[in-house]
Amino acid sequence: MERENILHNLCDRIKGSRIYSASSGERLYIPYYVHHPYIIKVRAFLEVINTKVQLFVRVSSDIYTQAWCKQESFRIKAILNEQLSEVICSCEREPYIGLPHMSLLDNNIQPVLSGSTSEQAKAIRFLCQRKVALLISEDRGERWTIALRIAESRHTAKKIDRLLVFLPGIHIEKFREAYVKQKVKIYPIIIAGIERLSHNFYLYKKLLDYTGRSTMIIADDCHLFKSPDSLRSKRIMVIARQCNYKLLMTASLVTNNIHDVYMPYNILDERILCYYRWEYFSKIHIIYGGVDGSQILGYKNIAYLISKLEPYTYSINRIKPCSAEVQSMEMQIYCCELTTMQKYYYANEKQELLSLIEEDRLSVYDIFRIFIRMQKIVCGYPLDKDKYDNNKIYETNKKELLKENLPAGVCVIFCKFRFEIDLLLFLLGEKNCRVINNKCKVGISKNEQENAFLQEKYFLSTLYSPESKLQGVKDFTHILFFSLSFCYTDYLQCFSYISDNGMGQKVSFACFATNSGIDHLIIQNLKRKGMLATELRDSLANKSRLARLVEIL
């Protein structure tokens, strides 16, 4: 009923507009005429999706190409959005004044629980109560099972009639197998690779035409949409606005910084955070500083942020048990001393952390901010780089350590920080190295591969999504971690990939560390297969325990 009231209110305010009935419900058509040398047809209309008014523009012509028509529709839509945004916002608010946003996204339907475990059943019941939600679980197969059961529940309740699934390209075939195995009968279904959304305009156009109010979107590894300015994120936002039902999933929502939460929840519904622009979010929750004022020093109003996210988030806090082969995999550890300069800067960071503890001004975000700076120092970050003009002097003994213990054969070398890629290119020689890019392909052409005269190759990458990076390299025999990760999951992804592809007897693992306290702490945590973030949060409640932990660094 509210949907019709919103459109009728808009009809009264927009001159010449008319309401028509369509298969998806009522539409408000807006008269819009464009002067062109040739005749074109413009259809501009408004629909209500999840109590939000969405603008659609369709341009067709017998003379101009489809690509031109699509581009023209984007131009006209931008013009109309700018002119109508204020009146649309006013009409959206009127029927819901005094109601919490959470009540607008309620969707209590009967869940389908066949073949689900007790933990999965709890998740399905919770997520079926929301039109939009986010699921966090370490087990990818479990995430897929829950998502498909929710889709089946909504299809049975006649809330959706089609499915759109986004996930990394390397997992598409496995998802298809899971879809067939669970015998979910939702047709049609489109499964699209997240990476293709960045560079394939025709796929984007196809998905726009495919998606409607009764479409459900499932997106796995939603942390891949974390940048508000990326083309991938902008396109998923446009597609998601056309749908009533959305479920995003990930193993870890915050992969780098706390502001990683902005994009996933904005994709679900902009009213969850109520920050329609990144600038508003950063102003409320991020503390900036540094020389140019752009360095992130910390975060604020975190409790307020969590209170907004909690009603739409379900987290399963258990890690998938590893196979016997994965558990048996061992990693060789090589260590070296810190340089004199590294020791000086490292001690300064440690003293700052101890001072914050003594003054009782410490938060978990301060801990990680300083820990990351300490780890950058031990990894060879170019200290006092301003003294050397444009020449970066990488201060670390790990360069010699790597040279002494570099195995023969094809090596994949993972780093935590991007500056380490430059360090390794300088150390190993650019002609001997290839950098694995974010599209899961190696940055080398087929002709270059055929003409390469060196038998030994070094493939370099950051630790971000290591499983997808390994798929881009063939016939490697060693995986080296030039720097350490706080999270055991990063290593587990590599171990699982090797095990799943029958390479357990062929591939060796090694990591390179220093004798610093921060590296020792990370190594001990990884041996326990633990989550360092959880241990630090537990220590935060006991200041004396935390101080003892910092003193041994």
Side-chain angles (χ1 to χ4, degrees), residues 390-493:
N390 294 326
N391 298 318
K392 295 181 179 179
I393 307 300
Y394 298 103
E395 185 72 25
T396 177
N397 290 326
K398 287 168 70 176
K399 295 183 291 186
E400 290 73 23
L401 185 68
L402 178 64
K403 279 187 174 182
E404 293 171 2
N405 299 281
L406 194 62
V410 179
C411 300
V412 179
I413 307 178
F414 285 112
C415 309
K416 181 166 184 177
F417 303 107
R418 289 187 178 181
F419 73 84
E420 293 176 284
I421 299 289
D422 295 332
L423 187 158
L424 290 170
L425 287 171
F426 174 78
L427 179 66
L428 301 174
E430 292 188 17
K431 292 182 178 180
N432 304 333
C433 301
R434 300 293 180 265
V435 178
I436 309 175
N437 62 31
N438 290 328
K439 296 177 183 177
C440 306
K441 297 178 181 178
V442 178
I444 178 173
S445 69
K446 185 176 180 181
N447 291 334
E448 285 177 314
Q449 288 178 357
E450 292 174 352
N451 296 330
F453 57 88
L454 292 173
Q455 292 183 355
E456 297 181 355
K457 297 288 183 187
Y458 307 114
F459 296 92
L460 315 179
S461 173
T462 59
L463 266 169
Y464 182 70
S465 188
E467 186 180 7
S468 62
K469 305 293 180 61
L470 289 174
Q471 194 206 23
V473 185
K474 294 182 179 180
D475 300 325
F476 59 91
T477 53
H478 307 282
I479 294 179
L480 309 180
F481 297 95
F482 190 65
S483 52
L484 304 176
S485 171
F486 290 130
C487 185
Y488 176 71
T489 306
D490 291 332
Y491 303 95
L492 182 60
Q493 284 189 22

Side-chain angles (χ1 to χ4, degrees), residues 223-271:
H223 56 269
L224 298 176
F225 295 110
K226 68 179 182 179
S227 172
D229 297 322
S230 70
L231 183 60
R232 176 190 302 173
S233 297
K234 290 177 180 178
R235 286 180 172 177
I236 189 68
M237 280 293 293
V238 175
I239 294 170
R241 282 177 181 146
Q242 300 183 180
C243 304
N244 275 330
Y245 302 96
K246 287 158 273 190
L247 176 65
L248 304 188
M249 306 181 293
T250 183
S252 177
L253 182 60
V254 179
T255 57
N256 190 17
N257 295 297
I258 194 69
H259 56 259
D260 290 347
V261 304
Y262 171 78
M263 252 335 274
Y265 286 94
N266 230 32
I267 291 170
L268 289 177
D269 194 284
E270 293 167 327
R271 292 165 298 174

Side-chain angles (χ1 to χ4, degrees), residues 17 63 65 142 273 277 299 330 367 405 550:
S17 61
I63 305 296
T65 64
E142 184 173 56
L273 295 174
R277 292 185 182 179
Y299 300 91
E330 296 183 357
I367 296 175
N405 299 281
V550 173

Side-chain angles (χ1 to χ4, degrees), residues 117 120 158 228 245 251 313 383 431 490 518:
T117 64
Q120 291 171 358
K158 297 183 178 180
Y245 302 96
T313 309
L383 306 169
K431 292 182 178 180
D490 291 332
I518 185 75

